């Protein structure tokens, strides 16, 4: 080595060294002296390398030999030996590095190896072809034996392969075969890609493959091979490997690369068995990482992906095409991260957002479809993608390196809420913006998803909070269609992220300056969202009060209503207890804020006094708000009473010198001048609010709250009582003619006098009702029946085994006063109804539809009127007198229906007192309208009615009121069949507890509807046990069984009560949602005592459906089928209700095979004979559907039996038994095709049809009058089924792309390549 270096240093041209090699070679003993020399020089002095001292000598040795070796003759041999020695050293260097696993830091030999490889690469064209081929085979053998050479060997390999591929011909070693350079490259690539790789060599080998020119199948093979190594490499090397793969994909097969990367990380994110298949022997593999480590790896991969897309935007286009090709099947958490990263690139921003919007909309549409078509969920791959979970998963990963996704996620959430908000929200009036009880649309679900995402981002990412608040405030100011959803987002942020909101309160405070310019609905929602902040933060509250005070003195009506609504919200109770927001410079706790409450409350109430001198609309809103505060904030009741009473004295006669006790003329402007009259003072609401405030004072006094320092003036309270008694007495004695509202008055709405008189009549009717409410609420009962806390009914029921209703007696003479007031009210209503002239298309409503009576008053009155008395106990004559007045009972029942319907359509959470009144009212309605057998009861009156009445019967009103009560409970306390862990499960249990208590309290059997042989104690014990266990399935089943018997009785009356039976079917359908859809053994153990204790033993329904091996829902469906089979209803409306309900519930039936047994066998055969005839029937004649006919369809799909039989009965009813000019009737046809005779094909089909459907109808419900209705229902079912089937086939087409549990290797083999 020294000699070679000395000769080279003396002569840089290499001539002397060349002569030395020529003279020395014959005397050398070794076959490859040069290669041995190079290898030994690197081996012997490798460990002594310190920097570049000896490394430069070794590299100089290589350069000297190459310089002294010409590119022909013996020089080629020496060059080949240098290449062989260098490759051998690189191989050994890698093996030695593998043994030194404990060493840390960089290896000093890496620099030398890099320079050596660069020297050989520069001289690559000067090597002989044989040397190149031999060296390539040597390096590929190293790869195939899974050795780990130095990474520079792979760089050298890529270069020499490129050189060899450019040759015209290559002679294969050990053979005489000569092939082209391209063919040789294919062979080498095949050797590399078909061999197992060392996990340490994957990254440099992938880089080497990227440097080679490949296309078509060569490129595909290399890409698939690299993707196979994902699970084998160290997790730290995975991002660089994927980046190299993305660069390689620029040559082609970009979608293949993207799909492989997405599927790999999807499996890792899914966990469980999906991730287990990616585990390998490498302890540092990605499949063994925890959530935080894996999130960090994914963040790095996404950074590389984003950079690669910026370099080659075609890659981003391919990703979008891949996602869109599978609709939502390819959408995943990692895929969503990639899309969010792409959204930062301006070119892809709109495309990504539009795709995500369509995917979210499709997902929610699919969820709604699956709820309507539950049979679809049995197929794999149809379940919608959990897009919300994907967003939340990405938000969880942000702290681990995905901070760059935060702006994209915020932008996406805002875009979804803006683009998916229904356009109709702000085109309707404020009163139409209330939350409907109908299910949310897919667009509304999408807006809710966007709000959840933004709320979670606000909670976890401080950097996004300012931007989110800016978006909220801009939508509020610009009155966007999505304003309502952004206000809900703000309310969620205030409740869940109060601490994070503290530093951003000045930004929210700025938005309050626009309150007076906003619409009433927007302003109320905004103030409702920040109400809790204002209650706890003094500075914020002071700013809000100042703004509202200015708005209160504004000239515009809407600004005044905004101010009034804001003040009432501040006086109301907080939505949630919060102790985190700061008040000024110090933090105020909940107890401190409670002490501060009276100070600003007194200030606000003082400003509300100004509203009493403003427009009538403002006064009406004030009275409604104060009545609400009387219930929600009792401590303010003394002040409220003082305000109302001081104003009320101006509108009634205190001296007794007037003919009328009320000054109606003071309530209407221009009442005497002849101008257009307008409401100035809603006196009926003022009087009602005074009455309720007075009653609230009594409740407050009974509570004896020690901390309440505000008390009412007893003298003023006594004067108010005396004045109200005087008003009641005067109203009772004063006639309508004294108010100038008799039959001679004008009520034409087109004239000023007629409009004025109509306003007088409205006010006077409300005052009559307020007087009735005062009479009712001031009753002194023996037992306080206003037991509040409706949500605690389940616990009350556990502690109180006696379920007999609590009763009280009315004071003497109260019924006469109530009936007297009601008589005048009814007389006034009849006069107005007779003489009023309304615009075309409008009608005057019935008495009670616009009542001012409160829910508490009506509940108390109903309990008094329909109290149950024990045997031997004297009944309340006052209640009997009220109950015997049919008009009054009809009126109060209408009021109950109206109030419960309003409660069902309420926008807010159901209050405890409202729920308690709803429960108590439902219990009274069940006892009086469903159970009571009194001769003058609603059932007896309806059954004995002669002829048809166009108006609703009293029984129908009660059934509709019961339906409204059930719907209210079902809406506010929804029972979900699948709940996740955590708060949802706790809420689900609470809802079950409340619903079971409601059903137990309103159960007909527990309210007197038991058989004579049944013991009340058994009923109470069973009901209590079911309530404690929250067994809503058993309670609903018992409830339904009672209603079934009533339906059967109603349709079998002399004059059938068809409308009432339809109402009962509606109640059954509501209760059916509580029935379980399973047939588990533990479920039957809970319902085993139903038939023996609570079911009616004499009902036909019980014997027909008392099966112990089917679920309660199946028994209900079987009863519906039996009812349709046996009852000839002959009423299209009831038939439509009954069949629609049966066909809808039939979809959830768990044992449809029992339905055919309920229908008579064909042609009078027994079941065995019929089955045998079906099996022996030769299906030689088709009805147009191949080999499918009614028999085969029923055998394969038992749930289709009822529909096919209905269709057959319609066919028979419409004339198949009567024949025609060219069509014989079924009676004229033989049972079989005569043997040996030729029969016309049409006649043969009719004979086959006769054998299928028989000649007699099976469903009695199908008559000539109802056949068209049945046909319409069946065709609608067919349309829905075909639509659902078409949708399901489309979903299965895309759902099969990502079937859960199906291995990627299986999917890959179907397409000709394997990923894993």
């Amino acid at each position: 080595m020294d000699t070679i270096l000395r000769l080279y240093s003396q002569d840089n041209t290499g001539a002397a060294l060349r002569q030395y090699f020529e003279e020395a070679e014959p005397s050398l003993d070794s076959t490859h002296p040069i290669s041995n020399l190079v290898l030994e020089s690197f081996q012997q002095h490798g460990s002594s390398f310190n920097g570049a001292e000896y490394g430069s000598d070794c590299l100089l040795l290589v350069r000297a030999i190459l310089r002294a070796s010409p590119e022909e003759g013996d020089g080629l041999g020496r060059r080949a030996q240098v290449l062989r020695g260098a490759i051998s050293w690189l191989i050994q260097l890698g093996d030695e590095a593998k043994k030194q696993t404990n060493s840390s830091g960089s290896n000093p030999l890496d620099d030398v190896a890099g320079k050596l490889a660069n020297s050989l690469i520069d001289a690559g064209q000067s090597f002989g072809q044989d040397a190149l081929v031999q060296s390539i085979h040597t390096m590929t053998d190293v790869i195939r034996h899974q050795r780990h050479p130095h990474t520079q060997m792979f760089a050298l390999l890529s270069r020499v392969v490129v050189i060899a591929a450019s040759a015209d011909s290559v002679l294969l070693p050990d053979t005489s075969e000569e092939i082209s350079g391209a063919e040789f490259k294919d062979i080498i690539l095949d050797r590399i890609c078909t061999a197992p790789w060392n996990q340490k060599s994957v990254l440099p080998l992938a880089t080497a493959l990227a440097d080679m020119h490949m296309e078509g199948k060569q490129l595909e093979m290399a890409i698939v091979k690299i993707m196979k190594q994902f699970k084998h490499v160290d997790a730290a090397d995975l991002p660089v490997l994927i980046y190299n793969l993305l660069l390689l994909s620029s040559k082609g097969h970009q979608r293949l690369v993207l799909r492989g990367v997405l599927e790999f990380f999807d499996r890792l994110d899914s966990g469980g068995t999906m991730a287990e298949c990616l585990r390998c022997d490498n302890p540092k593999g990605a499949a063994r990482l925890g959530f935080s480590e894996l999130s960090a790896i994914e963040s790095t991969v996404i950074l590389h992906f984003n950079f690669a897309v910026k370099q080659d935007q075609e890659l981003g286009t391919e990703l979008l095409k891949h996602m869109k090709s599978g609709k939502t099947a390819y959408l995943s958490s990692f895929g969503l991260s990639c899309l969010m990263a792409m959204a930062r690139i301006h070119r892809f921003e709109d495309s990504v957002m539009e795709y995500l919007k369509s995917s979210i909309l499709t997902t929610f549409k699919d969820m709604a479809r699956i709820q309507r078509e539950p049979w679809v969920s049995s197929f794999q791959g149809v379940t919608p993608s959990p897009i919300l979970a994907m967003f939340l998963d990405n938000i969880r990963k942000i702290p681990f390196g995905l901070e760059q996704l935060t702006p994209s996620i915020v932008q996406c959430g805002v875009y979804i809420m803006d683009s998916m908000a229904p356009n109709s929200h702000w085109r309707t009036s404020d009163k139409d913006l209330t939350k409907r009880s109908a299910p949310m649309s897919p667009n509304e679900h999408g807006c809710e998803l966007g709000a959840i995402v933004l709320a979670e981002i606000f909670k976890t990412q401080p950097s996004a909070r300012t931007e989110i608040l800016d978006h909220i405030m801009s939508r509020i100011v610009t009155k966007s269609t999505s304003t309502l959803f952004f206000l809900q987002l703000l309310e969620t942020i205030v409740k869940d992220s109060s601490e994070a909101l503290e530093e951003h309160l000045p930004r929210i405070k700025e938005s309050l300056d626009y309150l007076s310019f906003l619409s009433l609905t927007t302003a109320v929602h905004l103030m409702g969202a920040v109400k809790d902040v204002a209650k706890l933060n003094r500075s914020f509250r002071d700013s809000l009060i100042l703004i509202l005070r200015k708005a209160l003195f504004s000239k515009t009506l809407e600004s005044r209503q905004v101010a009034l609504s804001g003040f009432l919200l501040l006086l109301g109770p907080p939505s949630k207890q919060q102790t985190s927001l700061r008040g000024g410079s110090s933090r105020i706790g909940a107890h401190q804020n409670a002490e501060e409450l009276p100070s600003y409350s007194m200030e606000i109430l003082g400003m509300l006094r100004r509203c009493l001198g403003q427009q009538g609309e403002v006064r009406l809103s004030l009275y409604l708000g104060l009545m609400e505060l009387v219930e929600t904030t009792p401590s303010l009741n003394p002040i409220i009473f003082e305000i109302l009473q001081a104003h009320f004295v101006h509108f009634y006669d205190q001296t007794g010198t007037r003919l009328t006790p009320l000054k109606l003329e003071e309530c209407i402007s221009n009442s005497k001048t002849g101008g257009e009259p307008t409401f100035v003072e809603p006196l009926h609401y003022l009087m009602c609010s005074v009455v309720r405030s007075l009653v609230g004072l009594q409740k407050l006094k009974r509570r004896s709250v020690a901390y309440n320092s505000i008390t009412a003036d007893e003298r003023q309270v006594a004067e108010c009582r005396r004045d109200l008694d005087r008003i009641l007495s005067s109203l009772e004695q004063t006639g309508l003619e004294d108010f100038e509202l008799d039959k001679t008055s004008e009520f034409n709405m087109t004239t000023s006098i007629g409009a004025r008189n109509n306003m007088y009549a409205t006010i006077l009717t409300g005052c009559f009702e307020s007087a009735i409410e005062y009479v009712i609420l001031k009753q002194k009962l023996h037992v306080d029946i206003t037991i509040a806390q409706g949500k605690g009914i389940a616990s009350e029921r556990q502690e109180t085994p006696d379920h007999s209703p609590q009763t009280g007696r009315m004071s003497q003479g109260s019924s006469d006063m109530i009936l007297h007031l009601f008589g005048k009210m009814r007389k006034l209503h009849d006069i107005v109804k007779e003489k009023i002239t309304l615009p075309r298309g409008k009608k005057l409503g019935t008495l009670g539809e616009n009542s001012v009576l409160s829910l508490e008053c009506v509940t108390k009155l109903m309990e008094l009127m329909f109290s149950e008395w024990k045997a031997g106990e004297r009944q309340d004559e006052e209640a009997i007198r009220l109950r015997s007045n049919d008009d009054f009972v009809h009126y109060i029942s209408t009021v109950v229906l109206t109030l419960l319907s309003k409660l069902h359509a309420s926008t807010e959470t159901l209050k405890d007192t409202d729920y308690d009144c709803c429960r108590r009212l439902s219990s009274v309605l069940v006892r009086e309208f469903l159970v009571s057998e009194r001769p003058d009861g609603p059932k007896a009156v309806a059954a004995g009615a002669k002829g048809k009445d166009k108006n609703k019967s009293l029984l129908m009103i009660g059934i509709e009121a019961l339906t409204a009560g059930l719907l209210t409970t079902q809406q506010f306390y929804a029972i979900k069949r699948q709940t996740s862990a955590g708060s949802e499960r706790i809420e689900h249990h609470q809802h079950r507890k409340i619903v079971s208590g409601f059903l137990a309290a309103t159960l007909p059997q527990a309210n007197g509807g038991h058989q004579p042989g049944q013991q009340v104690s058994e009923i109470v014990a069973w009901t209590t046990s079911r309530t404690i266990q929250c067994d809503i399935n058993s309670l609903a089943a018992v409830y339904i069984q009672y209603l079934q018997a009533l339906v059967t009785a109603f349709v079998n009356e002399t004059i059938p009560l068809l409308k009432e039976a339809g109402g009962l079917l509606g109640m059954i359908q509501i209760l059916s949602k509580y029935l379980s859809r399973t047939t588990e053994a533990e479920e039957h153990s809970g319902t085993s005592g139903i038939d023996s204790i609570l079911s009616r033993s004499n009902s036909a329904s019980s014997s027909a459906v008392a099966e112990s091996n089917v679920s309660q829902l199946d028994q209900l469906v079987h009863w519906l089928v039996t009812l349709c089979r046996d009852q000839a209803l002959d009423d299209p409306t009831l038939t439509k209700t009954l069949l629609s309900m049966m066909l809808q519930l039939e979809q959830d039936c768990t044992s449809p095979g029992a339905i055919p047994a309920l229908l008579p066998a064909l042609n009078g055969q027994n079941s065995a004979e019929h089955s045998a005839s079906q099996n022996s029937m030769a299906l030689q004649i088709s009805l147009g559907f191949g080999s499918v006919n009614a028999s085969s369809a029923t055998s394969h799909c038992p749930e289709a039996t009822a529909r096919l039989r209905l269709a057959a009965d319609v066919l028979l009813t419409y004339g198949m038994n009567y024949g025609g000019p060219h069509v014989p009737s079924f009676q004229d046809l033989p049972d079989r095709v005569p043997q040996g005779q030729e029969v016309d094909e049409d006649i043969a089909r009719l004979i086959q049809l006769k054998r299928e459907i028989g000649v007699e109808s099976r469903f009695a419900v199908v008559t000539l009058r109802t056949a068209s209705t049945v046909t319409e229902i069946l065709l609608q079912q067919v349309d829905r089924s075909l639509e659902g089937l078409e949708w399901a086939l489309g979903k299965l087409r895309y759902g099969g792309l990502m079937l859960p549990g199906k291995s990627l290797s299986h999917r890959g083999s179907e397409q000709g390549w394997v990923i894993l």
Side-chain angles (χ1 to χ4, degrees), residues 905-932:
S906 175
T907 63
E908 302 176 356
T909 304
L910 193 64
K911 296 182 295 186
D912 293 355
T913 52
D914 290 342
Y915 166 78
D916 183 63
C917 290
C918 177
R919 175 182 58 84
R920 290 159 55 192
L921 273 176
S922 299
S923 178
V924 174
L925 291 171
V926 167
R927 189 168 61 249
E928 176 62 19
F929 288 84
L930 299 185
V931 175
S932 176

Side-chain angles (χ1 to χ4, degrees), residues 228-247:
K228 283 183 178 181
Q229 309 305 312
F230 283 172
K231 65 179 181 180
H232 298 290
V233 299
D234 292 349
D237 297 335
L238 195 57
V240 181
L241 178 62
I242 292 177
Y243 179 69
N244 289 332
L245 190 60
L246 293 174
L247 296 180

Side-chain angles (χ1 to χ4, degrees), residues 145-146 180 313 315 569 677 839 893 900 971 1133:
H145 289 87
Q146 298 189 37
S180 65
Q313 295 191 355
L315 186 64
L569 284 172
S893 300
L900 290 180
Q971 175 187 345
T1133 303

